[in-house]
């Protein structure tokens, strides 16, 4: 049964502007210090520490200590899904009789390619997903996703491998995630994370400093053409 008080508490926690900015900064899957997150939110490290403590108490953040530093990351993929959903709703604008509404981020690089926690998003994420569907590697139906019988072999031929079966109740292998800017599904789940990791390890994409945006390298452009048929 849904605990409405808990829902309201989560809404208040993520609704504060500084906390929202810090949560959004963690959507690239990395762990950041309080000082780094304070810079993103435009507040002092001391104020950031208080906000981060509240988010950690609510199990929205996980905290890891390494040496003198404490690193903060989103606690789970479910938290990332929540932040992405709120961002998607926040980006909706009313139609105009003159101008077509702009969905998602206005930054062109973010619209082209970015991370959605640990998987590819934006135009690149949707294009790769479409290519995998067209090649009968994955299939989506009514909010669920599957890998086809030959899908894992075809992925392995591309150098993309996925860990063994999930634990009971664990993260699904393959599922659609409605893209914030494209408003069409991109690939999420453990397979989505594996594809993103492969793109980064092969230097097909590189991270843009201080942003979730990704830059497609010349090597990546070639790989997209040759292996995925994406121009």
């Amino acid at each position: 049964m849904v605990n409405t008080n808990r829902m309201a508490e989560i809404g208040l926690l993520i609704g504060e502007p500084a906390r929202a900015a810090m949560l959004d900064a963690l959507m690239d899957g990395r762990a950041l210090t309080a000082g780094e997150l304070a810079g993103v939110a435009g507040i002092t490290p001391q104020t950031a520490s208080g906000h981060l403590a509240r988010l950690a108490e609510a199990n929205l953040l996980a905290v890891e200590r390494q040496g003198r530093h404490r690193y903060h990351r989103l606690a789970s993929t479910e938290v990332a899904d929540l932040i992405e959903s709120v961002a998607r709703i926040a980006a909706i604008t009313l139609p105009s009789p003159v101008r077509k509404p702009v969905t998602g981020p206005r930054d062109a690089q973010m619209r082209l390619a970015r991370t959605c926690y640990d998987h590819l998003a934006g135009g690149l994420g949707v294009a790769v997903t479409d290519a995998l569907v067209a090649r009968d590697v994955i299939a989506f139906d009514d909010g669920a996703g599957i890998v086809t019988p030959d899908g894992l072999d075809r992925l392995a031929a591309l150098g993309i491998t996925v860990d063994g079966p999930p634990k009971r109740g664990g993260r699904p292998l393959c599922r659609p995630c409605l893209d914030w800017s494209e408003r069409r599904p991109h690939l999420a789940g453990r397979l989505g994370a594996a594809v993103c990791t492969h793109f980064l390890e092969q230097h097909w994409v590189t991270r843009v400093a201080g942003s979730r945006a990704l830059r497609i390298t010349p090597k990546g452009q070639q790989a997209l053409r040759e292996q995925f048929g994406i121009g």
Side-chain angles (χ1 to χ4, degrees):
M1 184 174 179
V2 175
N3 185 323
T4 54
N5 289 336
R6 177 64 173 159
M7 287 176 60
E9 178 189 356
I10 296 298
L12 288 172
L13 282 170
I14 68 175
E16 199 281 329
R19 290 195 287 267
M22 292 190 288
L23 288 166
D24 182 66
L26 294 170
M27 279 292 290
D28 65 1
R30 291 179 293 175
L32 300 174
T33 66
E36 291 167 332
L37 290 167
V40 168
I43 56 179
T44 67
Q46 292 78 10
T47 301
S49 293
H51 285 311
L52 293 168
R54 292 189 62 184
L55 292 170
E57 288 171 3
N59 295 319
L60 296 177
L61 293 184
V63 184
E64 303 170 8
R65 184 181 294 276
Q66 186 171 339
R68 296 184 297 107
H69 297 289
R70 290 163 61 88
Y71 291 90
H72 304 78
R73 67 170 67 249
L74 298 184
S76 65
T77 56
E78 287 78 12
V79 175
D81 291 343
L82 169 64
I83 304 305
E84 184 75 3
S85 295
V86 172
R88 188 164 58 244
I89 294 170
I92 295 174
T93 57
L94 291 175
S96 164
V98 178
R99 299 176 59 190
K100 183 179 179 181
V102 177
T103 59
R106 295 181 181 273
D107 180 87
Q109 191 68 51
M110 281 277 284
R111 294 176 67 84
L112 174 63
R114 65 183 183 274
T115 53
C116 176
Y117 191 52
D118 61 357
H119 50 273
L120 299 175
L124 174 64
V126 170
V128 169
T129 299
D130 287 347
L132 293 176
V133 171
R135 285 159 171 72
D136 198 32
V137 174
I138 61 174
F140 292 154
D141 180 37
D142 195 23
I146 62 166
V147 179
T148 65
D150 297 328
L152 290 178
D153 290 337
R154 293 175 183 176
L155 288 164
L158 296 174
I160 300 171
T161 57
V162 188
D163 295 334
K167 298 177 181 178
R168 184 179 180 86
R171 189 180 188 186
L173 174 62
C174 169
R175 70 172 183 82
C177 177
L178 182 61
D179 194 87
W180 171 22
S181 54
E182 300 297 311
R183 304 297 167 87
R184 297 180 52 233
H186 61 238
L187 175 63
R190 291 185 296 125
L191 177 55
V195 169
C196 183
T197 297
H198 184 73
F199 271 57
L200 287 165
E201 289 178 345
Q202 295 299 312
H203 302 289
W204 293 352
V205 295
T206 58
R207 296 185 184 275
V208 176
S211 170
R212 277 206 276 156
L214 298 171
R215 182 175 292 109
I216 304 172
T217 66
K219 181 181 178 182
Q221 292 173 5
Q222 180 179 353
L224 287 169
R225 285 194 304 269
E226 295 178 353
Q227 301 193 32
F228 294 90
I230 299 171

